[in-house]
Amino acid sequence: MEPKEATGKENMVTKKKNLAFLRSRLYMLERRKTDTVVDSSVSGDHSGTLRRSQSDRTEYNQKLQEKMTPQGECSVAETLTSEEEHQMKRMMAKREKIIKELIQTEKDYLNDLELCVREVIQPLRNKKIDRLDVDSLFSNIESVHQISAKLLSLLEEATTDVEPAMQVIGEVFLQIKGPLEDIYKIYCYQHDEARSILESYEKEEELKEHLSHCIQSLK
């Protein structure tokens, strides 16, 4: 192979890679221009909400799709090979699957928290049992439940009626990062103490019976 010919092919491959990189950067830059509105008007609620009308979201997706689609006649160096296109489709399919699994995991986790609050914490609190400190035993689990519900709501809003290739969930975690850290810091800090309290309660037959009854209701 002649040196000039080899150099020409290398330049072609480099241009393809640069084009793919620039398209991905263009996508992220354009995505940051969305009209995301953070509503923190509720006192004490730092999680905020993401609001975007259906018409705005559709218009944005259409404009972004136009920018991401090659315009006019493209040179050979600017077109993806069938192998690269196949690899891109596989990556996008994998990404879509990961997002779906993430949302399903959050749904399952939230369901478990709801069961714990409804079938264990609330019944024990209503019984007003002497020597059983429900708040110390379960720490701030109800706050964990609330922030988990907020996270799931934001994830669903960011992905519902949005083409898989246009779904961006990173900003959801950035938005809710602060409240998540604050709540889980408290939960983790008090975990060892709650475990010690549970062990002490299990040594008293009356308290152990109440706890066992709640656990059976979960099953």
Side-chain angles (χ1 to χ4, degrees):
M1 180 181 295
E2 294 295 330
K4 290 184 178 180
E5 184 180 352
T7 301
K9 290 190 175 181
E10 289 177 359
N11 290 336
M12 185 182 300
V13 172
T14 301
K15 287 182 179 180
K16 291 178 183 179
K17 291 182 179 179
N18 289 339
L19 179 61
F21 173 76
L22 288 174
R23 285 177 183 168
S24 64
R25 293 297 299 166
L26 174 63
Y27 169 73
M28 293 306 299
L29 289 172
E30 288 297 321
R31 186 62 186 82
R32 290 177 181 273
K33 296 179 183 178
T34 58
D35 57 339
T36 300
V37 180
V38 179
D39 181 6
S40 303
S41 58
V42 181
S43 177
D45 182 7
H46 302 287
S47 58
T49 56
L50 291 176
R51 297 180 299 170
R52 187 184 301 123
S53 67
Q54 180 62 41
S55 59
D56 290 339
R57 179 183 295 171
T58 301
E59 181 182 358
Y60 165 73
N61 286 339
Q62 289 175 345
K63 290 181 179 179
L64 185 56
Q65 190 77 332
E66 291 173 1
K67 289 180 178 290
M68 296 293 290
T69 302
Q71 301 294 322
E73 293 296 328
C74 298
S75 66
V76 177
E78 293 179 339
T79 59
L80 294 176
T81 65
S82 58
E83 182 180 352
E84 290 172 331
E85 185 176 358
H86 177 67
Q87 183 179 5
M88 180 67 69
K89 288 181 179 180
R90 286 183 59 188
M91 290 175 61
M92 294 307 299
K94 184 177 181 180
R95 181 179 184 274
E96 181 181 359
K97 181 179 179 181
I98 291 173
I99 292 177
K100 286 183 178 180
E101 288 182 353
L102 173 63
I103 294 177
Q104 186 58 52
T105 299
E106 288 300 321
K107 287 181 180 180
D108 295 340
Y109 179 55
L110 182 61
N111 182 61
D112 290 341
L113 289 173
E114 289 175 346
L115 285 173
C116 180
V117 172
R118 185 177 68 247
E119 301 296 336
V120 179
I121 297 178
Q122 290 179 349
L124 288 176
R125 186 173 284 143
N126 293 336
K127 289 181 179 180
K128 298 180 180 180
I129 305 168
D130 293 337
R131 306 188 314 282
L132 198 157
D133 188 347
V134 177
D135 293 333
S136 296
L137 180 59
F138 293 97
S139 184
N140 65 334
I141 194 72
E142 288 165 307
S143 296
V144 173
H145 169 261
Q146 292 173 359
I147 196 64
S148 297
K150 171 64 70 175
L151 174 58
L152 177 59
S153 175
L154 293 177
L155 286 172
E156 290 179 331
E157 183 177 347
T159 56
T160 301
D161 298 328
V162 180
E163 290 295 323
M166 300 299 169
Q167 293 176 356
V168 179
I169 62 175
E171 66 178 20
V172 171
F173 288 96
L174 291 175
Q175 177 185 342
I176 205 170
K177 172 178 175 287
L180 274 175
E181 286 185 351
D182 293 340
I183 289 174
Y184 274 96
K185 279 179 183 177
I186 296 174
Y187 180 80
C188 294
Y189 179 78
Q190 297 178 348
H191 180 268
D192 290 343
E193 180 182 356
R195 186 180 182 85
S196 298
I197 292 174
L198 177 60
E199 291 175 352
S200 66
Y201 287 168
E202 289 178 337
K203 295 177 182 179
E204 299 187 38
E205 287 300 323
E206 181 182 355
L207 298 181
K208 182 178 180 180
E209 183 178 348
H210 285 296
L211 293 173
S212 298
H213 178 73
C214 291
I215 294 175
Q216 288 300 322
S217 67
L218 287 176
K219 295 180 179 180

